[in-house]
Each structure stands twice: as structure tokens, then as C-alpha cells.
Amino acid sequence: MRATQFHIKTTKETPNDAEIISHQLMLRAGFIRRLGSGLYTLMPLGLRVVRKIEAIVREEMNASGAVELLMPSIQPAELWQESGRWEKFGPELLRIKDRHDRDYCLGPTHEEVITDIARRDIKSYRQLPLNFYQIQMKVRDEVRPRFGVMRSREFIMKDAYSFSLGEESLQACFDQMHIAYCKVFDRMGLDYRAVEADSGSIGGAQSREFHVLADSGEDAVVYATEGDYAANIEKAAVVSQTTRGEASESMASIDTPGVHTIAELSSKIGVAESQCMKTLLVKGSESPVVALVLRGDHQLNEIKAEHLEEVATPLAMADAADIKSAANCDAGSIGPVGLSIPVIADADAATMTNFVCGANENGKHLSGVNWGRDLPEPLVRDLRNVVEGDPNPMGTGTLKIVRGIEVGHIFQLGSAYSESMGATVLDENGKPQIMQMGCYGIGITRVAAAAIEQNNDAQGIIWPEAIAPFEAVICPVNMVKSEAVQAAAEALYTELRDAGVDVLFDDRPLRPGAMFADMELIGIPHRFVVSDKLLANDEIEYRGRRDTESVVIKRSDVLAKLK
RNA sequence: CGGGGUAUGGCGCAGCCUGGUAGCGCAUCUGCUUUGGGAGCAGAGGGUCGUAGGUUCGAAUCCUGCUGCCCCGACCA
């Protein structure tokens, strides 16, 4: 590709509304252009990157035996009503009406459509297992789009759906996707982890997320210092090792006017946060509200809480009126003593002695409180997020926490959709069986952003070679004045193209400094400079994007640099 | 959904407080010079100041409504 026939539009200034580095660089280097909140045009450079990511994904999906198709992005409401998600999905589902006033949505995912196809086309166990995939635009009306294509309202996703007879076959499909995903991210040269994840409201089955590690990641990923345990913090189990000591203080009331948070309480009365008790009221499934009790320095894990049968799904905090009627005080003064609602304590909270908690009276707290003596023993559950240093649930080492960007998710759906939508096949006995499904996603556009988060410097982007918009660039110095440089650059361009290199020939009449700066911002992995001075010795200058110095090589050694 | 901010040429901003002919940098175009790290000089084009009202002799500026966008919060006891 010749730069004069392409479209390169870079800017020195950082757009004011881009917060993270990948967003800033993608805008500055001209990979994306914002159209509206969470809506981006993929400019020619950006589209090249996306196409390379897609190609790798497509190759590995095909190699795994999956079959590509393409489903509509507009989906009739009837299908979603059938699966029950028309009501469940919430405001993220962008709903539209057509001219006949019929309801549709813009697909945020395609389980309903693929299940509809499967139930029509797949009639016999002999056709199974089968794995369909597509690479397509998804639409989610995000509460708050941000970080450019990292969390946008329209994005490209590869989604695959497997159909199996029996759980063993489902597990095999799942394992195969796990392997395929590792190959995909390995080929892209990304630093990633496959972690255990919560399976969401559908529940039960296996679920793995693939996270690219980066400080700007929106998720917390937990891994063990020894062994290969890794999990999303939403999922990571706490193995409590503490045991309860003896009660040594008597319960007393203390005045705490204006104290509403654990931090305020801790500093006001000079007691460590870990000695305070945090009491949260949430909507219950049977009783109107349920109390969740945690050590003051621990954080509630909402996913774990939501999975409790006593707690309403989805998790909802009690409102002011609920709190008033259940605890007879306002938020900030609640405590577990004397409550007549179910009290569920985190395992670590349940081993506390002589703790401080709200008195269920505004402006008062209680100190020296002890389970069993001052209030009934609670139900004990794992309610909190793990913290660094917690023991590995697998028994070896301790846990560390890093930030990750979720770029892939593989997930056993089981019969969640096939059952409600009647997707059955006849088994070898001629009996109808519900198909077992799996679903497997990769956020294509998000991978591009994640790769930049992980690979950049002060000059700009440093693309991993496999997904760079161009593998190499030819930079002629002062080509307008030198026919020799022009001829040599053209010859090199032809040679590289003939060798199958995806090369950009920067034939714009720019000064060298401007050209180099552009190419470094754009992040092309290999640069070849052609100049009169070098040509005199039959030489070319080479510089890898990560290199700090250029090297002069023989003209004949150019191709070797790309191996 | 709650709070805050913001809207001025393609981009980034000043001007607004204290009303009086709309300005700067980048980018763009022309010419000359320059040509190994985002060139210099000279010139040029480009803005219904988000939108609808109001106040005023006069509004980018003051007031009101609306809209877009951005940030924070929506894990808290």
C-alpha cells in the first residue's frame, strides 16, 4: 500500500475526552473516529487491525471445526420473549419498532437466533456435535460507554455456539474452545490469563474468562503464587482460616453522632476497621430484607451475595424505607444486634469477637459485641471479595490480584436456551433429547484496544506483528529530490510485496522527522529507511519499533530482518 | 437515574466575570526556501459562538428552557 493512496490522518494533540492510553493513541493515530457517545468509525488503519484479528480468530475457529455463518443484527421480539430475556435483559437491550409497530431489538448476543436455527435444522444426534460461529457487530446500550472501543455501544464480536448431546460432549466442545482461544491470544502475542469466572444468572456450568493483563483493566483477576489457580475476583473463593476467640468485653453503647461509614467510625473511636462490623441490608427472596454482615475492612462480593437463596435476584440494596422498618434507623447506624430479619455473616465476620457495630439507633454504635452472647449465631457464608494474601483455595501459596481486560469468555450454557425454546434431537433410541449448548465470545475490537494498553511507549503504539495494520514501512528520505532514492524505494517496495510482506510505502512528500513520528505513532513493527547516503554503499537502515537505535544493513539482508 | 462540568472554524483552546465589529495554536491552501527526528518566511480560506426563547439600542458574553457531550456516583451501612 502506498501512503498517498491510503488515508493517514494523525494529530499531535491528545483529544480531551480520551482517558486511557489506548483510546488516546487510537484517536491520535487515526485508527478510530468518534461519531457519538460510544460510537466509533473504524478508519482504514483501524479496520486493517480488526481484519487481522478477525483472520486469526477465523483461522483458529475453522481449525477447531467450527462453522461460520452470519445472523441478522435485528432480531424479532418474539424470539426474546420465548427465551424470557425480553423482560430480563434490561435497558442494555436496545429495542426498536419497525413501521408496522412491531418490536425488535438490536442483537447484543445471538443465543435465541442460533437456537432457533438449531431446532429447525438439527434433528438427529448424528448431526452433533456442531459449533456455529459468526463475526459480527453487536449492540449494547451501555449505561456508560467509555474508553473508546473498550466499552462502546456497538462493537465487533466473534460469538460461537456449540450444540451437543450429553454433558460429556459439551465438555469436549468447551475444552476445544479453551485450546482454540489460547492459540488465538498466543498468536496475537498478548499477555493474558484464562481465569475461572462466574457463570452469571444461568448458573451451574463451567465458565472461563480470558483477560489481557493491564493496569487500566476494568476487572480484578486473582491468581495463586503457586499452582495455576486463577479466577475473576467475582468468582474467587475465600478459604477462611480464622477461628473465633473468647468474648472478653461486655457490650456497651457509644455515642457516634454523624458517623455513617466504617472509615468514620474507625477514626472517631480509634478502633481498626477490621474490628468494626459492616451491616448491609439487601432485598430478600422470602423476607423483605436480609442483613449481610462483613468485617469492616472487607468488601461485599455482589455475585456471591446474589447466589444466596435468601437474597433476591438481581441483588438490590434495601431502600431507605426498608431500612427504617427493619432496623428502625437510617443507613449508617445499622447493626446485626436485635434484628428480626435473617442475618448472614461472612465467614471472617462470624469469627470476630468484641466487635463494634451499629446500634440500630441513629448516632449510636455498640462496642464489645459478641456472637452467641449478644445476638444469635448467624448463618455463615462466603460473602466477601478475596484480598491479596488470602490463601489459594487450591491449597498452595497465596493469592495476588491484578487488573485485566476481558477479551474472551467461554461458557457452558447447558439447556438454558434449548429447553425453553424446544431444541431437541432424537437419540439413538429415537427418544427426543434436549441439546446441550455452549457459547464462546471474543471481543474483536476490544482486543485491539487491549493490545495497545499492553504495548505502547512515548512515541505511540507498538503493535504485535500479528495484528499490526502493516508489518513494515518503507521511509524514503527526501524522495522528491532524489530519483535514486525513489527508484530504490520502489524496488524495495516491489521486492517486499513479492515476498508477501504487508508493507506500507510512505511516499508522502514529508520531511523525515514528520514521517518517522507518524509511523512510530501508528506503531508499525519494522521500518526501512532509504536515503542517498545509504544507497551509495548499497545499504538500508532498519529499525524495529521497540529498538532504541537504528542499524545499517546490506540491501540484500532486508528480508532476513522480517523473519 | 443522581451530582458536577462543558458546548466558540476540522482539532485543541482564549474571549464571558465587567454586553459594543470573534481571536490564538495546530491543521488546510498558495508561493519561495528547507530536507535524517513533527521546518522557516510571506500570504490565503474557513465560525448562524449547540439550540429555542427572554432582557437590552445592542448578546459568544446576562437570564430561562431544551439538547449533545464529558467526568463522578449508583459497593453501601
Side-chain angles (χ1 to χ4, degrees), chain A residues 63-64 91 96 116 135 146-147 156 171 189 251-252 278-279 306 325 328 349 399 412 418 431 460 462 495 523 533:
Chain A
S64 79
I96 56 173
D116 181 56
I135 295 177
R146 58 182 134 183
F147 305 147
I156 299 173
Q171 183 66 43
M251 187 163 81
K278 183 190 281 190
T279 307
E306 192 170 282
S325 65
N328 199 32
L399 297 178
Q412 295 186 1
S418 44
K431 293 267 169 35
I462 308 175
E495 180 184 336
K533 198 170 60 185

Side-chain angles (χ1 to χ4, degrees), chain A residues 256 258-261 279-281 318-335 339 357-365:
Chain A
T256 52
V259 170
H260 296 291
T261 66
T279 307
L280 316 177
L281 299 188
D319 55 40
D322 290 332
I323 294 173
K324 199 79 186 175
S325 65
N328 199 32
C329 66
D330 295 324
S333 304
I334 310 170
L339 290 179
C357 65
N360 297 323
E361 183 182 346
N362 286 344
K364 301 239 184 239
H365 279 75

Side-chain angles (χ1 to χ4, degrees), chain A residues 71-80 86 96 103-113 134 136 138:
Chain A
M71 294 177 261
S73 21
I74 300 179
Q75 305 180 18
E78 285 76 13
L79 271 182
W80 285 71
W86 187 256
I96 56 173
D103 287 312
Y104 292 84
C105 63
L106 295 178
T109 171
H110 281 70
E111 282 86 358
E112 282 82 0
V113 180
Q134 64 174 348
Q136 193 226 25
K138 298 284 190 245

Side-chain angles (χ1 to χ4, degrees), chain A residues 384-395:
Chain A
R384 69 172 173 95
N385 282 335
V386 298
V387 294
E388 287 229 358
D390 274 342
N392 176 2
M394 297 297 131

Side-chain angles (χ1 to χ4, degrees), chain A residues 484-504:
Chain A
V485 167
Q486 177 160 10
E490 290 280 358
L492 181 58
Y493 178 50
T494 303
E495 180 184 336
L496 289 178
R497 277 201 306 166
D498 288 351
V501 178
D502 189 14
V503 59
L504 176 69

